[in-house]
């Protein structure tokens, strides 16, 4: 995997895949631009080196990237860049259509992947484009891989993994992987309802608040385990935290993790990070990953297609 500094980028059209899939509020305003900020070092470096920038990103929904463009304009203070539209508005992106990959590749001379959060997806802009262009990793991707590789190779024990959120399909298989690697796997949120296997290491909620949050007995049970951990990996809220009525489970567990001073703490995922930012707890974590599902898949030992494509 080539890194950015190994590439001669001057006057080159740099096609940079970013993950600008940021949470938006009801009015469509950005709630947390953490992922945008984390991509700025790559973007600013390329501008400084005299490259031409073509940025691209998806959103998980069908919204456009207008608010992302505005935010980038603010941070880049008049420096020129092109931002393509939400890639998933073209269904060929998720189909990894080679025609689409070639169309994208034609826009650049070099492809840079700085979208760690999407490296678990076999999509055209992730695995297709690097077939047709010289490619490399952006600074964010490089850093994520470096930090998370250390964890993967040499986890501190007890290793406690907490998985919540909604992306059931991605997460069910990582739960199974973590049951082999971790000492305890705590599962809450929507995903808990789809777990249909058992293991002595697996902890599922024992009570709920109106099906939108974990209940107080579950909070107690999870907290007891979190106290024992030397390493904690967390992705995905444990309930509908955006509604104050159902934020208690996620908030209490977040606080419990932060109280554990002995543990190396890693967190990932757009919603989870947004929740931590809101409660002023983000900085208490040792590594805040821009990936949610991607981070979990990487740490569970899977080879991410987006990383393979850069090799
Ligand atoms: C994320 O939010 O985890 C990434 O942007 C990937 O989004 P996706 O789960 O819709 O592929």
């Amino acid at each position: 995997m080539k890194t950015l500094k190994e590439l001669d980028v001057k006057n080159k059209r740099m096609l940079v895949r970013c993950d600008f899939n940021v949470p938006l509020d009801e009015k469509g305003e950005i709630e947390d631009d953490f992922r945008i900020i984390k991509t700025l070092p790559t973007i600013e470096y390329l501008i400084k080196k005299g490259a031409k920038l073509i940025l691209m990103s998806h959103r998980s929904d069908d919204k456009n990237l207008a608010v992302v463009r505005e935010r980038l304009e603010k941070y880049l203070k008049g420096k020129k860049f092109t931002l393509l539209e939400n890639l998933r508005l073209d269904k060929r992106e998720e189909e990894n259509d080679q025609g689409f990959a070639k169309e994208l590749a034609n826009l650049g001379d070099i492809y840079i992947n700085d979208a760690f959060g999407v490296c678990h997806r076999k999509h055209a802009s992730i695995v297709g484009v690097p077939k047709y262009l010289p490619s490399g990793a952006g600074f964010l991707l490089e850093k994520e891989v470096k930090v998370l590789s250390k964890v993967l190779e040499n986890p501190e024990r007890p290793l406690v993994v907490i998985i919540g959120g909604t992306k059931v399909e991605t997460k069910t298989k990582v739960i199974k992987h973590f049951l082999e690697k971790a000492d305890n796997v705590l599962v809450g949120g929507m995903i808990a309802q789809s777990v249909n296997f058992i293991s002595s290491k697996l902890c599922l909620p024992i009570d709920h608040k109106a099906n939108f949050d974990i209940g107080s007995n579950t909070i107690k049970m999870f907290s007891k385990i979190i106290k024992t951990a030397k390493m904690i990996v967390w992705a995905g809220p444990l309930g509908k935290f955006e509604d104050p009525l159902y934020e208690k489970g996620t908030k209490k567990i977040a606080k419990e993790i932060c109280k554990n001073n002995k543990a190396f703490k890693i967190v990932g995922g757009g919603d989870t990070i947004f929740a931590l930012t809101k409660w002023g707890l983000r900085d208490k974590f040792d590594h805040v990953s821009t990936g949610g599902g991607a981070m979990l898949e990487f740490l569970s030992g899977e080879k991410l297609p987006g990383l393979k494509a850069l090799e």
Side-chain angles (χ1 to χ4, degrees):
M1 187 163 91
K2 277 224 167 90
T3 59
L4 206 46
K5 292 206 171 149
E6 291 171 300
L7 295 160
D8 177 13
V9 302
K10 188 158 191 240
N11 293 325
K12 299 274 174 24
R13 293 172 305 156
M14 302 297 293
L15 187 59
V16 187
R17 176 56 158 105
C18 307
D19 181 359
F20 294 143
N21 186 23
V22 291
L24 303 180
D25 65 16
E26 278 158 14
K27 288 189 223 128
E29 298 296 327
I30 297 177
E31 273 179 317
D32 184 6
D33 63 1
F34 180 71
R35 281 179 166 165
I36 299 178
I37 289 177
K38 287 287 178 180
T39 318
L40 291 177
T42 293
I43 297 175
E44 282 166 345
Y45 172 85
L46 288 171
I47 292 174
K48 205 167 106 205
K49 290 284 173 189
K52 297 190 184 83
L53 272 184
I54 303 113
L55 308 176
M56 52 181 178
S57 173
H58 74 289
R59 285 199 53 84
S60 295
D61 53 30
D62 58 1
K63 300 215 167 65
N64 66 36
L65 288 173
V67 282
V68 171
R69 171 194 304 282
E70 266 169 43
R71 190 59 58 95
L72 281 167
E73 279 166 357
K74 182 180 142 204
Y75 286 133
L76 297 174
K77 301 188 183 90
K79 290 177 197 127
K80 291 270 172 281
F81 66 91
T82 300
L83 173 65
L84 305 187
E85 192 41 280
N86 176 1
L87 293 163
R88 291 192 193 165
L89 293 180
D90 191 319
K91 67 177 184 4
R92 295 176 301 166
E93 162 68 354
E94 289 177 77
E95 292 164 356
N96 187 19
D97 178 275
Q98 291 310 291
F100 187 53
K102 279 186 205 161
E103 276 173 36
L104 292 172
N106 279 338
L107 302 173
D109 302 309
I110 300 178
Y111 167 82
I112 294 294
N113 184 338
D114 214 16
F116 177 72
V118 212
C119 280
H120 58 319
R121 304 284 185 217
K122 280 192 193 127
H123 293 174
S125 66
I126 297 290
V127 295
V129 180
K131 282 196 200 149
Y132 305 107
L133 286 179
S135 356
F139 294 136
L140 173 62
L141 186 73
E142 199 189 334
K143 182 167 176 223
E144 292 270 15
V145 171
K146 205 165 145 189
V147 177
L148 296 176
S149 295
K150 266 196 215 154
V151 175
L152 180 65
E153 283 151 25
N154 207 1
E156 302 278 345
R157 293 195 180 276
L159 166 62
V160 175
V161 177
I162 306 161
I163 301 177
T166 50
K167 291 177 186 171
V168 173
E169 200 188 300
T170 322
K171 285 174 181 164
T172 321
K173 67 177 181 197
V174 297
I175 293 174
K176 287 191 178 156
H177 283 171
F178 273 123
L179 287 173
E180 285 163 29
K181 287 183 150 280
D183 296 283
N184 297 96
V185 181
L186 319 180
V187 181
M190 289 267 281
I191 167 88
Q193 292 163 26
S194 321
V195 176
N196 54 8
F197 41 89
I198 46 168
S199 155
S200 57
K201 295 178 174 185
L202 180 65
C203 267
L204 293 169
I206 45 175
D207 59 348
H208 286 100
K209 189 173 174 196
N211 251 338
F212 291 123
D213 196 6
I214 51 172
S216 33
N217 291 325
T218 307
I219 296 174
K220 268 189 219 140
M221 177 176 77
F222 282 8
S223 301
K224 222 167 143 187
I225 297 169
I226 288 166
K227 277 196 183 79
T228 66
K230 290 268 173 58
M231 182 170 265
I232 300 168
V233 174
W234 179 24
L238 301 167
K240 206 175 157 209
F241 75 95
E242 58 278 23
D243 182 339
L245 267 181
Y246 305 111
E247 68 171 17
K248 184 174 162 197
T250 306
K251 200 172 184 175
K252 283 253 184 202
I253 293 303
K255 286 190 172 161
E256 202 57 51
I257 297 171
C258 295
K259 266 205 281 178
N260 182 338
N261 294 324
K262 305 184 302 290
F264 188 84
K265 302 182 263 295
I266 302 165
V267 65
D271 289 335
T272 319
I273 293 170
F274 169 52
L276 291 176
T277 310
K278 203 163 77 167
W279 301 324
L281 297 172
R282 196 173 79 197
D283 296 342
K284 300 221 185 302
F285 283 76
D286 298 282
H287 180 67
V288 182
S289 175
T290 45
M295 177 194 78
L296 287 175
E297 285 198 25
F298 184 88
L299 289 177
S300 75
E302 286 198 34
K303 284 243 175 316
L304 301 187
L307 299 180
K308 258 200 255 173
L310 295 178
E311 273 162 16

